[in-house]
Amino acid sequence: MTQKSDTNSKQKILIVDGDHSFSKPLSEYLQGSGYLVEVISDGAQALSRIQTQQPQLVMLELNIPGENGLTVCKLSRRHYTGPVIMLSGRSDELDEVLCLDMGADDYICKPVSHRVMLARIQAHLRRTNKTITVEEEDGKERLNFGDLVIDNTMREAWLNNAPIELTSAEFDLLWLLSSHAGQIMTREEIFNKLRGIEYDGQDRSVDVRVSRIRPKVGDDPVHPRRIKTVRSKGYLFVGDLAGRQADTRILN
């Protein structure tokens, strides 16, 4: 039996799924956990709801009537920065990569237990409610890297004084890497700090998210100089690009 939490009472979750045998019991379970839940089954309606209501979290089935889930996810990112969890009845790596590339924060295969689903939802909401970085302890709120400026208080970033469009998950990852500029961050460290879980060696969400962030911060996706991939380890954010020599351990 779930228990209501006062901290959840004002948080709204939008479930977009045409399978009522799945969405109805999940909705009831989440409501019993203290969340406000709305269920709709049409893609076009989902886009309107996301834009006008700005729910705290969206759960989006890959195959829905009207606009498909991928299209809804991509279009919603024009005006929505909250967590998007994609749902699918297929365990397909290509689908997962496509969803993450369209801006999704997570990909969950159905069927899945309500308890596991709730845990994933809570993890995403914790992340959006509080940016988990070492720099919080140091009191730093804004980082400047020449033409790139990242502000943790406003949760915004600018390149050449132009705002950068970032999802909540993308901003968290960018802030984490940039606040550790000059340090190699392993995937294990990234997962632990941003999601509070251990890296299983298979999840590609961080890699996909880095590939989306690079062009947004003016980096070359083919030969990155700002966010470098470190062989068999993780990522390195280069704070000062001027005169920096490439590390022989780094693959572009």
Side-chain angles (χ1 to χ4, degrees):
M1 180 177 179
T2 58
Q3 295 181 350
K4 293 184 179 181
S5 170
D6 291 338
T7 59
N8 298 341
S9 60
K10 294 184 179 180
Q11 294 183 301
K12 182 171 184 177
I13 297 174
L14 178 65
I15 301 176
V16 187
D17 196 318
D19 182 1
H20 297 294
S21 65
F22 171 83
S23 60
K24 183 177 180 180
L26 175 60
S27 173
E28 293 174 348
Y29 183 84
L30 295 177
Q31 289 176 17
S33 299
Y35 294 97
L36 298 175
V37 183
E38 180 181 7
V39 180
I40 58 179
S41 58
D42 179 76
Q45 186 182 12
L47 280 171
S48 175
R49 283 286 202 282
I50 294 171
Q51 181 174 9
T52 59
Q53 297 185 5
Q54 293 289 310
Q56 274 66 51
L57 183 140
V58 175
M59 304 183 70
L60 182 59
E61 164 63 42
L62 187 58
N63 297 306
I64 50 176
E67 299 283 3
N68 64 45
L70 276 176
T71 302
V72 172
C73 182
K74 179 180 180 180
L75 295 179
S76 68
R77 281 313 189 191
R78 297 175 180 175
H79 46 71
Y80 180 71
T81 60
V84 175
I85 298 177
M86 297 298 295
L87 305 170
S88 176
R90 299 190 306 174
S91 178
D92 188 303
E93 183 177 307
L94 179 59
D95 282 347
E96 181 175 1
V97 172
L98 284 173
C99 289
L100 293 171
D101 195 44
M102 289 297 113
D105 297 280
D106 206 347
Y107 182 93
I108 298 178
C109 294
K110 301 187 295 186
V112 58
S113 74
H114 292 165
R115 182 175 296 181
V116 169
M117 186 71 80
L118 177 61
R120 298 282 276 270
I121 289 170
Q122 290 173 334
H124 283 290
L125 291 176
R126 281 197 302 270
R127 177 178 55 76
T128 56
N129 290 336
K130 183 176 191 287
T131 305
I132 308 171
T133 68
V134 172
E135 295 303 323
E136 285 183 330
E137 299 174 1
D138 295 340
K140 294 184 180 180
E141 299 178 345
R142 176 173 287 209
L143 300 174
N144 293 273
F145 304 99
D147 57 0
L148 176 64
V149 179
I150 310 166
D151 192 299
N152 190 37
T153 301
M154 299 178 65
R155 293 183 61 78
E156 294 181 0
W158 301 266
L159 181 66
N160 293 319
N161 295 318
I164 303 173
E165 292 187 8
L166 296 166
T167 67
S168 180
E170 288 170 354
F171 179 85
D172 287 341
L173 179 55
L174 176 60
W175 178 262
L176 179 64
L177 293 174
S178 62
S179 63
H180 291 80
Q183 304 175 38
I184 297 173
M185 293 209 70
T186 67
R187 290 175 176 82
E188 289 80 4
E189 291 174 321
I190 293 171
F191 265 77
N192 183 264
K193 286 183 176 293
L194 293 184
R195 300 182 64 176
I197 59 176
E198 294 183 2
Y199 178 57
D200 61 9
Q202 303 296 322
D203 194 312
R204 297 187 58 190
S205 60
V206 169
D207 303 309
V208 172
R209 210 153 281 139
V210 166
S211 70
R212 287 177 57 84
I213 293 173
R214 277 173 171 153
K216 293 183 179 183
V217 298
D219 212 353
D220 184 343
V222 180
H223 302 291
R225 298 173 62 240
R226 175 69 75 189
I227 304 177
K228 291 182 173 287
T229 302
V230 182
R231 182 183 312 185
S232 303
K233 291 188 177 182
Y235 292 100
L236 170 68
F237 187 95
V238 180
D240 180 12
L241 295 179
R244 186 174 292 271
Q245 300 295 319
D247 192 313
T248 57
R249 297 170 299 171
I250 294 175
L251 294 178
N252 289 332

